[in-house]
Amino acid sequence: MDVFEDLESNVRSYCRTWDTVFARADGSRVYGEDGRGYVDFFSGAGALNYGHNNPLLLRPLLRYLESGAIVHSLDMKTQAKRRFLEAFRDLVLIPRELDYKVMFTGPTGTNAVEAALKLARKVTGRHHVLGFTNAFHGMTLGSLSVTGNSMKRRGAGIPLNNTSSIPYDGYLPPGTDDLIWLRQILADSGSGVDKPAAVIVETVQGEGGLRAARAAWLHDLSEVCRAHGVLLIVDDVQAGCGRTGTFFSFEPAGITPDIVCLSKSISGYGLPLALTLFRPELDLWQPGEHNGTFRGHNPAFVTATAALETYWADTGLQERVAARTAELREGLEEIAGWSDGAQVRGRGLLAGIFYPDTRTAARIARQSFAAGLLVETSGPESEVIKVMPPLTISAEDLATGLDLLAGAATTATR
Ligand code: PMP
């Protein structure tokens, strides 16, 4: 009897492409209970930027758990939370001259987005929020309402109100029509859309096909929002925490979003943690107005602090990510060159290949698994093969993974 088949809901997904029972993992390698090893070009959908079971994070976690310290604490003050807040201030905010309040919003990315949307509405007194086509922000009703994926939206079973999608054109070459819909809505020239409280954006669409917005487009977006008193929310749940080469993915654009959502790799170890950051003037919350049982996950604070202290106290990680990014790009360009119309997309170690034949990427993902590589697809029709190795992957493991991907692509496109 297969307890997964018999007991688990039909909604399960990853286990269908990767039909094995996973048993252990180490860095950028994962092993099935049958002993088969896989190179991990998936990184827990971006939750494992520092690899699996990273010993530099595991040791402080084990010490903490064995010391009898606090594990669960809602939003009480704890020593682990104090250390995290100090590290976040000293290693993330101050070096980037960012002045944000930190709100612990719950275990998972969608919680950070819900809090961001609610705060934007509360602060502006307006209810409409603009999201972008193909965006992905989460599966609870607020975040789903700004998610541009009709299959997932239909699942809500009710109308998702108070939001509109505008075209995500920031990945296109510069043109005169940049942000035309946003400009029209804000000028209220017959758009029929209420003035929004906020615009929510991913700098790279992680689930929506790896389109990466140009820095200048993000800059324009920020300026247009500011000029009209509309808050800019950057959802950095997937692209943040170093994934694109800088701690926040918006840094190269030189913008300071009003609100930022972080989750996935902020705990560093795959433990659930989500934060919403916002400009101090926006902190209009009343005590207890937005809460949750798992706002204070102290083991996650411990690994998050260790990750910041280990990887963000100097620039060593960023240099390594830049080197791996160049190697990945070169490998992907070569593979893309074998198929007409294939195109490398993404930024940093959030990259992949778009295939015009929408069946190709899924075929490559299946072939990759058979060959010993975990790699996912992305995009509305799963038309993009998505490569997201741990930021800490060695040059050797990256090369091995790229070889496996090249072999799978050759078989799948034959
Ligand atoms: N925002 C973005 C950009 C995401 O990629 C995701 C998850 N893929 C979410 C929000 C939702 O996060 P979670 O699944 O942890 O709720």
Side-chain angles (χ1 to χ4, degrees):
M1 171 175 137
D2 182 345
V3 73
F4 301 107
E5 286 286 321
D6 291 347
L7 202 54
E8 242 193 307
S9 159
N10 199 46
V11 79
R12 64 198 189 283
S13 62
Y14 290 118
C15 59
R16 296 178 197 267
T17 349
W18 301 327
D19 191 11
T20 190
V21 178
F22 292 102
R24 59 192 185 85
D26 175 19
S28 48
R29 302 275 174 156
V30 193
Y31 301 88
E33 66 180 1
D34 57 4
R36 275 206 82 196
Y38 301 87
V39 175
D40 189 357
F41 272 9
F42 172 60
S43 301
L48 292 163
N49 279 4
Y50 311 106
H52 295 263
N53 293 323
N54 185 323
L56 301 173
L57 313 184
L58 175 61
R59 268 184 242 118
L61 174 64
L62 289 178
R63 270 201 306 274
Y64 186 80
L65 291 174
E66 284 171 356
S67 72
I70 298 290
V71 170
H72 181 267
S73 57
L74 295 141
D75 69 350
M76 294 172 220
K77 294 181 198 168
T78 63
Q79 291 176 314
K81 184 195 272 193
R82 177 164 57 205
R83 281 202 63 200
F84 171 72
L85 283 169
E86 287 170 353
F88 194 75
R89 179 194 61 201
D90 296 344
L91 298 171
V92 176
L93 297 180
I94 290 178
R96 291 167 184 78
E97 296 180 12
L98 291 171
D99 187 13
Y100 284 132
K101 284 274 193 176
V102 178
M103 176 178 178
F104 296 102
T105 40
T108 175
T110 197
N111 302 131
V113 174
E114 292 291 342
L117 298 176
K118 191 167 160 184
L119 181 64
R121 290 180 167 128
K122 184 177 168 59
V123 166
T124 59
R126 299 190 292 267
H127 57 90
H128 215 81
V129 176
L130 301 179
F132 285 95
T133 47
N134 292 319
F136 186 92
H137 297 292
M139 285 294 103
T140 48
L141 288 180
S143 59
L144 187 58
S145 74
V146 280
T147 287
N149 179 312
S150 51
M151 187 267 263
K152 295 202 160 81
R153 292 172 68 90
R154 264 196 303 278
I158 54 166
L160 297 169
N161 292 327
N162 301 328
T163 56
S164 305
S165 278
I166 54 174
Y168 190 78
D169 50 12
Y171 69 99
L172 296 171
T176 46
D177 286 354
D178 284 0
L179 294 165
I180 188 168
W181 288 104
L182 180 62
R183 291 182 206 275
Q184 206 164 327
I185 287 166
L186 296 180
D188 196 22
S189 57
S191 71
V193 176
D194 293 337
K195 179 171 177 175
V199 175
I200 182 165
V201 69
E202 297 159 274
T203 65
V204 183
Q205 294 193 319
E207 304 299 323
L210 294 183
R211 293 192 174 96
R214 285 178 290 111
W217 182 88
L218 287 167
H219 196 265
D220 282 355
L221 175 64
S222 169
E223 295 283 291
V224 172
C225 286
R226 188 135 309 163
H228 289 270
V230 170
L231 299 177
L232 179 63
I233 305 170
V234 170
D235 178 348
D236 236 2
V237 165
Q238 186 159 167
C241 301
R243 182 48 60 192
T244 62
T246 48
F247 187 85
F248 293 108
S249 70
F250 54 80
E251 288 174 45
I255 61 171
T256 306
D258 300 292
I259 305 179
V260 181
C261 303
L262 282 182
S263 183
K264 290 201 192 269
S265 274
I266 185 63
S267 82
Y269 201 73
L271 297 176
L273 185 63
L275 314 182
T276 306
L277 314 175
F278 40 83
R279 289 194 286 110
E281 319 83 90
L282 304 183
D283 197 3
L284 301 186
W285 293 114
Q286 295 301 310
E289 197 177 13
H290 191 87
N291 58 24
T293 306
F294 287 103
R295 275 168 292 167
H297 188 344
N298 289 278
F301 291 147
V302 171
T303 53
T305 306
L308 294 179
E309 289 174 349
T310 307
Y311 292 107
W312 296 95
D314 62 39
T315 56
L317 177 73
Q318 279 181 257
E319 281 157 13
R320 289 201 297 281
V321 171
R324 296 298 87 75
T325 297
E327 292 153 14
L328 175 61
R329 192 89 197 176
E330 194 184 324
L332 294 180
E333 290 288 359
E334 187 183 341
I335 298 170
W338 302 334
S339 300
D340 282 348
Q343 192 186 78
V344 177
R345 283 193 184 164
R347 193 151 67 81
L349 293 179
L350 179 54
I353 307 174
F354 159 82
Y355 285 93
D357 179 339
T358 53
R359 291 161 304 181
T360 306
R363 271 198 215 122
I364 296 176
R366 271 196 304 277
Q367 285 293 339
S368 295
F369 177 68
L373 174 71
L374 299 187
V375 68
E376 208 200 342
T377 60
S378 168
E381 295 183 277
S382 302
E383 72 280 20
V384 179
I385 199 89
K386 177 182 182 188
V387 179
M388 199 161 47
L391 308 185
T392 50
I393 195 169
S394 64
E396 295 71 33
D397 275 3
L398 184 71
T400 306
L402 276 169
D403 281 348
L404 293 170
L405 186 67
T410 308
T411 315
T413 55
R414 218 178 359 232

